[in-house]
Amino acid sequence: MNINMMHNNLFVNRMIIYTKENLVAYEETFHKGVNIIRGKNSSGKSTITHFLFYALGGAFNEWVKEAKQCSRVLLEIEANGATLVLKRELNFNEEGRANAQEPMYIFWGKYEEILHDQWKKYNFSTNTNNISFSNVLFDTLEIPIVKGESNITMHQILRLLYIDQESPTSSLFLYEHFDTVLTRETVAELLLGVYSQDLYEKRQRKDAVIKELGNVEQEIKAIKRYIDNPYFLIPSHILTQIENKEQEIRNIETLIESLKNEEKSVRYTQKTKLEFQILNEEAITQRQKVKTIEDRVRYLEFEIEDSKEFIEELNNKLRGIKNSIATRDFMGSFSLEYCPECLSRLEKLDQ
């Protein structure tokens, strides 16, 4: 089984699937050429191809119940003349769903040469500290590593090379939600050997600009719904209106400042001064009375709340006593050693 990528090549030599009991569930050696997996309906042909897709780096988690009895899959491959073994484990959560983004363990050499301490672990995604297994395989296959927001991984490459029975017949890619045209185009160009990082970045920028343009158009439509005067949609007219309003603000601020600085003499007669003083003292007295009444109201409100809590506690005690009496009547002459309410030991009284 092979995948040709211009002068690049990848051959699958051997696949071994292990059960949870560490037994071999399936083992097959492939030859360079067309390999046909045949069998009766529901005999596991699709499951074998799912394991092949998963072992090469695909994100797959729709395993059948028989596959869920397996623990790992190993794949010996040749990539541009280099022989290596890929290993991916199957781990399931409490709902029986597998983690599609399991890491990959890579051994550089043949299956018969495997040493347990020479596996290299690579995660599904790239981060600031580690590269992903897709980066390692891309580098081995001399495929350019796409740098940008759309993450092109081995999973994306394999989607074009592997189509399952549930994919639409009109689809060239293994069906997935939220697929983008840019992703499909980039994968095709990678496999055809015509990928350009500069072109890819420009396409990304184009998509971002189109998205920004759509947002701006939506904002303009929303603004038009609330503006009756069409002149308010002309930038030059709006700028003129802003300048006029700013000038009005400056004029008002100047007027306010002049009024503040203007000295106004308020002349009081002896009579008006006396009346003002009397009214001011009366207002102070009334404010003190209001404050006293407000303090009294708050005090009474606190008293009412406290009384309500006290009454509720008494009702609880009363219910407890009634329950105790009802329990005693029900149990007859049964002697209690502890109080049903407080659980303290009861002392016997001399008759």
Side-chain angles (χ1 to χ4, degrees):
M1 186 171 294
N2 66 84
I3 301 171
N4 289 318
M5 304 175 183
M6 301 300 288
H7 65 280
N8 314 79
N9 57 77
L10 187 153
F11 298 94
V12 177
N13 296 336
R14 185 178 183 183
M15 182 167 69
I16 305 175
I17 304 172
Y18 288 91
T19 66
K20 294 180 180 179
E21 291 75 25
N22 205 31
L23 300 175
V24 176
Y26 176 85
E27 181 175 2
E28 186 60 70
T29 301
F30 301 98
H31 60 269
K32 294 180 179 178
V34 177
N35 292 258
I36 299 176
I37 301 173
R38 62 184 180 87
K40 298 179 180 179
N41 291 338
S42 301
S43 60
K45 300 186 298 298
S46 296
T47 302
I48 292 173
T49 59
H50 291 333
F51 271 110
L52 183 63
F53 174 75
Y54 179 71
L56 285 170
F60 187 83
N61 57 12
E62 301 297 330
W63 300 104
V64 297
K65 63 178 181 179
E66 290 81 7
K68 291 181 179 180
Q69 301 304 314
C70 300
S71 61
R72 64 191 185 279
V73 54
L74 278 71
L75 208 67
E76 181 185 295
I77 66 171
E78 289 183 32
N80 284 1
T83 303
L84 54 155
V85 181
L86 314 179
K87 179 177 70 172
R88 293 190 77 187
E89 298 176 347
L90 280 77
N91 293 302
F92 300 91
N93 57 22
E94 295 179 354
E95 289 76 25
R97 190 169 182 82
N99 176 20
Q101 299 188 358
E102 282 287 336
M104 177 184 291
Y105 297 84
I106 300 179
F107 174 80
W108 298 92
K110 297 182 178 180
Y111 175 79
E112 292 79 6
E113 302 171 350
I114 290 178
L115 298 175
H116 294 290
D117 58 347
Q118 291 188 3
W119 288 102
K120 293 292 184 64
K121 179 182 178 181
Y122 300 95
N123 291 327
F124 186 90
S125 302
T126 304
N127 55 45
T128 54
N129 298 322
N130 299 296
I131 60 175
S132 66
F133 61 73
S134 293
N135 293 143
V136 176
L137 295 177
F138 279 14
D139 185 60
T140 305
L141 292 168
E142 298 181 6
I143 300 176
I145 296 175
V146 178
K147 299 177 181 179
E149 295 179 0
S150 297
N151 190 18
I152 305 299
T153 64
M154 278 298 295
H155 172 74
Q156 302 297 341
I157 298 293
L158 293 170
R159 285 182 56 221
L160 181 57
L161 303 174
Y162 167 70
I163 303 293
D164 63 5
Q165 298 182 55
E166 297 179 357
S167 295
T169 55
S170 60
S171 176
L172 290 175
F173 277 76
L174 177 66
Y175 178 74
E176 282 189 355
H177 294 287
F178 310 111
D179 201 8
T180 64
V181 175
L182 179 59
T183 297
R184 295 196 298 269
E185 289 179 348
T186 305
V187 170
E189 290 172 357
L190 285 170
L191 293 175
L192 292 172
V194 295
Y195 170 76
S196 169
Q197 178 66 30
D198 182 62
L199 178 60
Y200 176 76
E201 292 175 354
K202 285 182 170 57
R203 284 175 175 169
Q204 280 192 314
R205 178 55 186 160
K206 177 184 175 183
D207 290 345
V209 170
I210 292 175
K211 185 177 180 180
E212 291 176 6
L213 178 61
N215 293 335
V216 172
E217 289 177 345
Q218 291 296 327
E219 290 180 4
I220 293 175
K221 289 181 180 178
I223 292 172
K224 285 183 177 180
R225 287 199 298 266
Y226 297 100
I227 295 179
D228 298 329
N229 189 345
Y231 287 105
F232 287 135
L233 297 176
I234 303 175
S236 58
H237 179 76
I238 294 175
L239 291 175
T240 302
Q241 292 292 321
I242 292 174
E243 291 177 357
N244 293 338
K245 294 300 180 183
E246 288 177 345
Q247 184 60 46
E248 289 181 15
I249 292 173
R250 287 193 292 269
N251 294 337
I252 293 172
E253 290 176 346
T254 302
L255 178 60
I256 292 173
E257 188 66 23
S258 63
L259 292 174
K260 286 182 178 180
N261 296 330
E262 184 179 353
E263 294 182 359
K264 292 184 178 181
S265 57
V266 180
R267 299 179 180 179
Y268 293 102
T269 63
Q270 187 67 27
K271 181 179 179 182
T272 55
K273 284 185 178 181
L274 181 59
E275 290 177 352
F276 174 78
Q277 183 178 2
I278 294 173
L279 291 174
N280 187 45
E281 292 176 353
E282 184 177 350
I284 294 175
T285 303
Q286 295 299 325
R287 283 197 294 270
Q288 290 177 346
K289 290 181 179 180
V290 170
K291 184 177 182 306
T292 302
I293 294 173
E294 288 177 346
D295 292 341
R296 180 61 179 170
V297 170
R298 283 194 293 270
Y299 173 78
L300 293 176
E301 288 176 347
F302 292 147
E303 286 290 322
I304 291 172
E305 291 297 325
D306 187 61
S307 299
K308 288 181 179 179
E309 292 180 0
F310 180 70
I311 293 171
E312 181 62 26
E313 184 64 23
L314 291 178
N315 288 331
N316 291 335
K317 294 289 185 181
L318 180 59
R319 284 192 293 269
I321 293 174
K322 290 180 178 179
N323 290 338
S324 177
I325 294 173
T327 302
R328 182 58 180 265
D329 292 342
F330 176 77
M331 299 179 66
S333 60
F334 181 76
S335 178
L336 297 177
E337 297 182 1
Y338 297 90
C339 174
E341 180 69 19
C342 64
L343 301 180
S344 60
R345 180 179 292 275
L346 300 175
E347 300 292 338
K348 293 184 179 180
L349 300 176
D350 296 333
Q351 299 295 331

